Amino acid sequence: MTNLILIPTELERQIIEPMISGAISNSSGIIELCGFGLVAAAARSAQLIAQHAPARVYLIGIAGSLSASCRIGSAYEFGQVRCDGIGVGVGQNHRPASELGWKHFGDIDDSLALESTSSLRLVSVCAASAAFADAHRRGNADAEDMEGYAVALACKLVHTPVVILRGISNQAGDRDHSRWQIEHSLRAAAELFLQTQRVSE
């Protein structure tokens, strides 16, 4: 069975794919774009999982740091992903679905455990933090992305293991792109993927 490697955007793919394609060319790996944001990533991931029936899914891309545990320019594997922004209210008045007693589907809550020994926590958001105050409101998480929960949910529904690897490009809430390290963090994420492949050999 194949491994399905999902990358959210073409920008991310341009850096990641050349670094990892050689490592997967001999081991049944497929690289696909899953799209930007929770909605596109959920729909596209479900479509690709149905098409390829992978043994495992990897999501690789960038994220913003929410804690000192995730340093800009480095890459990390995450052990948990949580959805933020679905529920009632906005800003300080927001209440998540779990607090209201609502489930996303069946018994699936706002948080999903991932196939990992990592203790790092990822939060997936509908809109990235526009200021440090937004990032502070995210609560108990180490990094912020926009696709992780969507991909993990698509995988959980069909009992497919998922691994999320994120390079940390910026401090969440910092919109000054001159301080971001997009290329460096994507290269770190690609190298982390290559390390996971060497360990599994």
Side-chain angles (χ1 to χ4, degrees):
M1 296 178 71
T2 61
N3 286 327
L4 177 60
I5 297 98
L6 298 178
I7 301 172
T9 66
E10 185 60 39
L11 183 151
E12 292 164 300
R13 182 176 185 163
Q14 288 174 2
I15 295 172
I16 294 170
E17 185 168 16
M19 291 185 64
I20 69 172
S21 58
I24 64 174
S25 61
N26 297 321
S27 60
S28 302
I30 298 170
I31 299 172
E32 296 273 15
L33 291 177
C34 67
F36 173 74
L38 287 170
V39 176
R44 180 65 173 151
S45 296
Q47 180 186 43
L48 291 168
I49 292 167
Q51 178 182 342
H52 298 297
R56 177 174 280 99
V57 172
Y58 291 86
L59 173 64
I60 313 175
I62 56 174
S65 175
L66 289 168
S67 82
S69 298
C70 288
R71 301 186 309 277
I72 296 172
S74 297
Y76 302 91
E77 181 176 341
F78 291 85
Q80 181 190 70
V81 62
R82 174 172 57 84
C83 178
D84 181 76
I86 296 177
V88 170
V90 296
Q92 296 299 319
N93 295 320
H94 175 70
R95 295 178 65 197
S98 59
E99 189 177 304
L100 299 166
W102 298 344
K103 302 292 184 180
H104 291 262
F105 184 83
D107 63 350
I108 298 173
D109 212 330
D110 290 334
S111 295
L112 293 170
L114 303 172
E115 188 187 71
S116 174
T117 59
S118 173
S119 61
L120 293 176
R121 302 148 302 176
L122 184 66
V123 60
S124 296
V125 299
C126 297
S129 295
F132 294 120
D134 294 339
H136 180 73
R137 187 185 63 79
R138 301 299 184 194
N140 196 25
D142 298 295
E144 168 189 288
D145 83 344
M146 299 181 72
E147 297 87 20
Y149 183 87
V151 174
L153 178 53
C155 289
K156 183 175 179 61
L157 291 176
V158 291
H159 311 289
T160 300
V162 59
V163 177
I164 298 180
L165 308 175
R166 289 292 194 177
I168 305 301
S169 60
N170 61 288
Q171 187 71 37
D174 182 2
R175 305 311 301 168
D176 184 348
H177 285 205
S178 70
R179 290 192 289 262
W180 289 29
Q181 296 183 26
I182 294 175
E183 182 171 352
H184 190 71
S185 63
L186 286 171
R187 290 186 177 280
E191 180 55 40
L192 181 57
F193 171 79
L194 294 174
Q195 290 173 17
T196 66
Q197 299 309 290
R198 289 193 286 267
V199 169
S200 63
E201 288 177 352

